[in-house]
Amino acid sequence: MPDLSAKSPFELRVNLGSHVPETDVRAAIASGDVGFVHSFTSGSTVDGPGVRVVAWLTGCQFRCLYCHNPDTWTMTNGIPVPIARAVDQLKKYRHGLKVMRGGFTISGGEPLMQHRFALKLFSAAHEMGIHTALDTNGALGERLTDTDLETIDLVLLDIKCWDEQRHRDLVNADIGPVLAFARRLAARKRPMWLRYVLVPGLTDDLADVEHLAAFAGELGNVERVDVLPFHKMGEHKWKQLAMGYRLHDVEPPSQELVGQVCARFRAAGLSAY
Ligand code: SF4
């Protein structure tokens, strides 16, 4: 059985669940009794408040050009993990997380591809008294009932860009369901952090950022905005998977550009970092 722990999500993991018959994959998704997991990592300080243990689930319906973890697109690249084993893995960190006032984040991939498994893990985390956060692209938010939303202490909503066409070109999906989920979280007063990956030439249009900032500022539930500078730590995965990586020549944004984007969010009344 492959080790569930990883030093970082940038470890390439493929075909670890490819032996699972498709009917069993479907049954796992429907029940949440088994999940497909890239890894568990610990020590993150960027995936929610405090120090986080993060479960990286596999499966994603987006195809972001800058994706750092394209091995997580395919669900069966992940390790098939019975829910009890995943809960045991989380238990290992229970005391440390309490001492450090940290928490548990589910990321991916797109965790809502396996929403029942994710919800079971969140429930177990709450029983252990651990803060929960969901890092999501938001497009499958409809899968969560209002009651489900109460089991998630914080949603880290990744909004990829504002302009509809640019969004489609960047991630191969529409932005509408993402914004609908953001509005629903706001209507239900669920705490949210907005995450925005800043990629020179792709998501650095300041007028677009202003529109997004105005939208986020009016929601009323956005506690902070994290502007995440583009990096190429996942480029090796694209190469190893023989996938064409189109951002090889794109450099990380300058500090000045990061500052300009943060300033747009702050001008809309938001805390941006
Ligand atoms: S939503 Fe996340 S995991 Fe999915 S393609 Fe985009 S960056 Fe990658």
Side-chain angles (χ1 to χ4, degrees):
M1 182 73 77
D3 192 353
L4 262 185
S5 304
K7 284 200 179 108
S8 92
F10 299 115
E11 282 183 20
L12 180 75
R13 293 191 163 183
V14 290
N15 291 331
L16 298 174
S18 54
H19 58 284
V20 179
E22 198 178 327
T23 46
D24 290 358
V25 174
R26 286 178 199 276
I29 294 168
S31 69
D33 291 340
V34 174
F36 290 83
V37 181
H38 175 280
S39 59
F40 275 67
T41 60
S42 58
S44 164
T45 53
V46 294
D47 296 298
V51 177
R52 313 297 294 186
V53 168
V54 184
W56 305 89
L57 306 193
T58 48
C60 187
Q61 80 287 42
F62 276 19
R63 293 292 178 262
C64 302
L65 295 178
Y66 57 68
C67 184
H68 307 141
N69 295 310
D71 50 339
T72 66
W73 292 358
T74 304
M75 200 173 290
T76 52
N77 275 346
I79 306 167
V81 182
I83 185 69
R85 184 182 172 209
V87 171
D88 283 348
Q89 181 76 11
L90 180 59
K91 269 188 193 149
K92 292 181 192 168
Y93 304 101
R94 171 171 45 176
H95 295 298
L97 287 178
K98 274 196 185 154
V99 171
M100 292 184 287
R101 295 171 186 243
F104 175 52
T105 300
I106 304 185
S107 184
E110 170 46 53
L112 296 184
M113 296 283 285
Q114 305 188 61
H115 70 292
R116 294 192 197 284
F117 182 75
L119 289 167
K120 285 187 178 183
L121 265 177
F122 279 148
S123 239
H126 270 179
E127 277 169 25
M128 292 179 226
I130 296 174
H131 178 275
T132 57
L134 172 73
D135 177 23
T136 177
N137 65 36
L140 299 176
E142 275 187 6
R143 291 187 176 184
L144 300 176
T145 66
D146 291 343
T147 309
D148 294 337
L149 290 181
E150 302 296 322
T151 69
I152 303 168
D153 296 316
L154 174 69
V155 174
L156 310 175
L157 183 64
D158 301 275
I159 299 188
K160 311 293 186 177
C161 74
W162 178 258
D163 180 83
E164 285 182 16
Q165 187 58 51
R166 280 199 200 118
H167 190 274
R168 236 172 266 128
D169 294 343
L170 181 65
V171 314
N172 198 29
D174 288 333
I175 194 173
V178 180
L179 301 184
F181 186 52
R183 289 191 189 98
R184 182 165 160 234
L185 290 171
R188 303 207 59 79
K189 300 192 177 356
R190 301 307 301 155
M192 181 179 133
W193 289 10
L194 169 63
R195 313 230 290 178
Y196 188 75
V197 179
L198 178 58
V199 192
L202 288 178
T203 65
D204 61 348
D205 184 294
L206 293 177
D208 262 13
V209 173
E210 279 170 17
H211 286 299
L212 175 57
F215 170 79
E218 283 170 12
L219 288 174
N221 66 329
V222 178
E223 295 180 347
R224 67 180 268 165
V225 179
D226 283 322
V227 176
L228 307 171
F230 163 73
H231 62 71
K232 289 190 266 196
M233 286 168 73
E235 183 175 0
H236 71 98
K237 289 190 175 185
W238 288 74
K239 282 192 184 144
Q240 286 174 271
L241 294 167
M243 296 162 62
Y245 186 63
R246 288 164 51 187
L247 306 191
H248 177 69
D249 295 326
V250 178
E251 293 301 321
S254 64
Q255 276 302 323
E256 188 189 357
L257 180 58
V258 174
Q260 288 172 344
V261 168
C262 284
R264 297 313 192 272
F265 285 109
R266 289 186 192 123
L270 298 160
S271 301
Y273 303 92

